[in-house]
């Protein structure tokens, strides 16, 4: 069990592109994934990408039951995805509120493709291929953006819809 420090926006590593994972089923990859899972769970994240803990490799994890940071969203299957690729199935987009463990206490309204197909590999190198829509599709797009050095505020269309949770969602 190792909860790692999560890099915050402003750290230059978060702006870099990550490298393709060349070898599956290695102790180093297993350790990375374990650390990512521990870190995500400790922070109540809906997902986490390797660069957020300072590792520039194309590995993301996401999903796993109800998330207190995103109440009312449909469950996303718990997934470890390596070398992911995303295709949007059509041009339909929708806006939704996103947060990021690298940008604590803030939320922004971000357009994402509504329906996608994604693929990648599990830690043993088995192919994962799925279609997703809605929140599931949003989470995958958000996490995969991290692998190309893209953070959600870069995609906000109207900066007025970016702010602190405590102010945006005041009862
Ligand atoms: Ni994020």
């Amino acid at each position: 069990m190792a909860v790692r420090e999560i890099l915050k926006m402003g750290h230059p590593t978060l702006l870099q592109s990550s490298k393709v994972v060349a070898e599956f089923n290695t102790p180093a990859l297993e350790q990375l994934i374990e650390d990512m899972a521990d870190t995500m769970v400790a922070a109540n994240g809906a997902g986490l990408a390797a660069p957020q803990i300072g590792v520039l490799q194309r590995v993301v994890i996401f999903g796993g039951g109800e998330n207190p940071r995103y109440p009312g969203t449909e469950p996303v299957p718990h997934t470890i995805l390596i070398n992911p690729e995303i295709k949007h199935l059509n041009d339909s987009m929708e806006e939704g509120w996103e947060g990021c463990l690298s940008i604590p206490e803030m939320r922004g309204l971000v357009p994402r493709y509504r329906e996608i197909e994604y693929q990648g590999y599990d830690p043993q190198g088995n192919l994962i291929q799925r279609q997703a829509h809605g929140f599931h599709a949003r989470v995958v797009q958000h996490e995969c953006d991290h692998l190309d050095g893209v953070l959600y505020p870069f995609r906000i269309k109207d900066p007025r819809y970016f702010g602190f949770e405590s102010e945006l969602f005041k009862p």
Side-chain angles (χ1 to χ4, degrees):
M1 165 108 191
V3 173
R4 304 264 294 260
E5 188 197 342
I6 298 174
L7 306 184
K8 295 200 186 73
M9 187 166 69
H11 194 291
T13 295
L14 292 174
L15 301 176
Q16 291 186 42
S17 279
S18 292
K19 290 197 190 76
V20 168
V21 173
E23 235 189 313
F24 293 90
N25 229 342
T26 65
L29 184 59
E30 213 164 287
Q31 188 62 58
L32 169 64
I33 289 159
E34 201 181 295
D35 287 359
M36 286 174 66
D38 291 343
T39 305
M40 182 178 90
V41 167
N44 277 325
L48 189 78
Q52 292 182 275
I53 59 166
V55 177
L56 287 169
Q57 296 208 48
R58 303 189 81 82
V59 179
V60 300
I61 60 173
F62 53 81
E66 298 232 332
N67 190 297
R69 294 181 75 235
Y70 296 91
T73 54
E74 62 267 36
V76 176
H78 178 64
T79 306
I80 299 155
L81 198 62
I82 300 166
N83 300 340
E85 281 173 47
I86 303 178
K87 275 198 307 217
H88 50 274
L89 294 172
N90 51 58
D91 289 333
S92 170
M93 299 188 88
E94 66 189 347
E95 297 211 307
W97 289 100
E98 290 185 22
C100 180
L101 297 178
S102 293
I103 311 165
E105 290 168 44
M106 299 194 81
R107 294 290 166 116
L109 197 60
V110 182
R112 298 285 185 188
Y113 289 107
R114 201 188 296 266
E115 292 178 280
I116 63 166
E117 187 173 84
Y118 66 91
Q119 67 164 58
Y121 298 89
D122 75 9
Q124 285 73 44
N126 302 303
L127 182 69
I128 297 170
Q129 205 165 19
R130 288 186 191 140
Q131 290 192 1
H133 64 273
F135 186 66
H136 181 181
R138 175 172 299 279
V139 168
V140 175
Q141 289 169 85
H142 175 118
E143 295 314 327
C144 292
D145 262 357
H146 277 294
L147 305 180
D148 296 318
V150 175
L151 302 172
Y152 79 79
F154 308 171
R155 295 197 182 276
I156 294 172
K157 276 202 289 203
D158 183 342
R160 288 175 296 181
Y161 295 100
F162 180 45
F164 288 92
E165 285 166 336
S166 56
E167 301 291 351
L168 288 165
F169 307 113
K170 233 179 222 172

